Amino acid sequence: MSATVRFASALEPDTQVAQGQKPGRNARAKAPAYETHGRLVLGFAFSIEELQKRALERLPEYQSLSEQSPLPLMNMISKAQSLVYLLCDDIDHLWPQAFKGLGMGPNRNGLHIVALSHNRDSDRLRMPTREQTEEMRKILNCGEAKWYKDLAPPTKFNFRASRY
């Protein structure tokens, strides 16, 4: 499942999202129900090819790996995958609870996700505002945040502690 994040507008509140809130308060987007949709993670997704391209531009050790012959593919892939943690750091000032997620794209391809919210983990149910999401998208230079079918449920260990 891949769907664009829909934020409730203060001018036109979505009755599903705004239900039960006091008048005058801005309605906030809400995570899709786990019971209905299964385990989902909200975030910015990157294919391994995109991560490898970014790692080549950003990580000096990745460049030295790519210059070796024959190419140590497994080492390169793991370095590229760890780039997601650096991308989480890039948006830390806007969303400090960002974490690495693994999701499935519409073509059943695996994606590495700079994750912002998770509909199953009570510690990560909170969602960013539309403005925060847009600012993070600009910083990460990527597409819109979407909901992805989560392949690896978040744990306390794959949050910040296992970054390096």
Side-chain angles (χ1 to χ4, degrees), residues 56 60-77 79:
L56 195 56
E61 65 272 16
Y62 192 84
Q63 279 185 322
S64 65
L65 284 174
S66 68
E67 293 166 359
Q68 295 176 7
S69 182
L71 293 177
L73 188 59
M74 291 312 290
N75 288 339
M76 291 176 74
I77 288 174
K79 282 284 185 200

Side-chain angles (χ1 to χ4, degrees), residues 6-19 21 25-29 130:
R6 190 164 154 240
F7 294 91
S9 165
L11 299 174
E12 301 173 21
D14 183 341
T15 56
Q16 253 186 331
V17 175
Q19 201 170 31
Q21 290 193 3
R25 294 182 81 186
N26 287 344
R28 290 194 53 106
R130 181 187 332 216

Side-chain angles (χ1 to χ4, degrees), residues 14-73:
D14 183 341
T15 56
Q16 253 186 331
V17 175
Q19 201 170 31
Q21 290 193 3
K22 295 180 182 176
R25 294 182 81 186
N26 287 344
R28 290 194 53 106
K30 193 173 179 185
Y34 169 76
E35 295 77 13
T36 307
H37 301 284
R39 200 170 54 222
L40 298 174
V41 63
L42 170 68
F44 303 100
F46 299 90
S47 67
I48 190 63
E49 294 81 13
E50 174 67 18
L51 287 177
Q52 287 177 314
K53 179 182 155 210
R54 288 175 180 236
L56 195 56
E57 297 167 355
R58 187 166 175 175
L59 302 173
E61 65 272 16
Y62 192 84
Q63 279 185 322
S64 65
L65 284 174
S66 68
E67 293 166 359
Q68 295 176 7
S69 182
L71 293 177
L73 188 59

Side-chain angles (χ1 to χ4, degrees), residues 90-163:
D90 291 347
I91 62 170
D92 187 63
H93 64 288
L94 289 169
W95 201 251
Q97 57 270 45
F99 60 99
K100 179 181 178 180
L102 295 173
M104 186 172 294
N107 300 334
R108 312 251 335 131
N109 55 334
L111 299 170
H112 299 273
I113 301 172
V114 175
L116 309 174
S117 181
H118 195 281
N119 74 336
R120 181 67 173 146
D121 185 349
S122 60
D123 293 340
R124 297 188 175 128
L125 282 175
R126 191 168 156 247
M127 292 178 50
T129 64
R130 181 187 332 216
E131 293 78 19
Q132 287 172 315
T133 305
E134 181 60 23
E135 186 64 27
M136 288 184 270
R137 186 192 68 73
K138 287 177 184 174
I139 291 169
L140 297 174
N141 191 24
C142 61
E144 293 183 19
K146 296 182 180 182
W147 288 102
Y148 295 93
K149 186 148 191 75
D150 187 23
L151 298 178
T155 66
K156 304 308 178 220
F157 300 106
N158 75 350
F159 181 51
R160 297 277 187 198
S162 63
R163 281 198 169 202

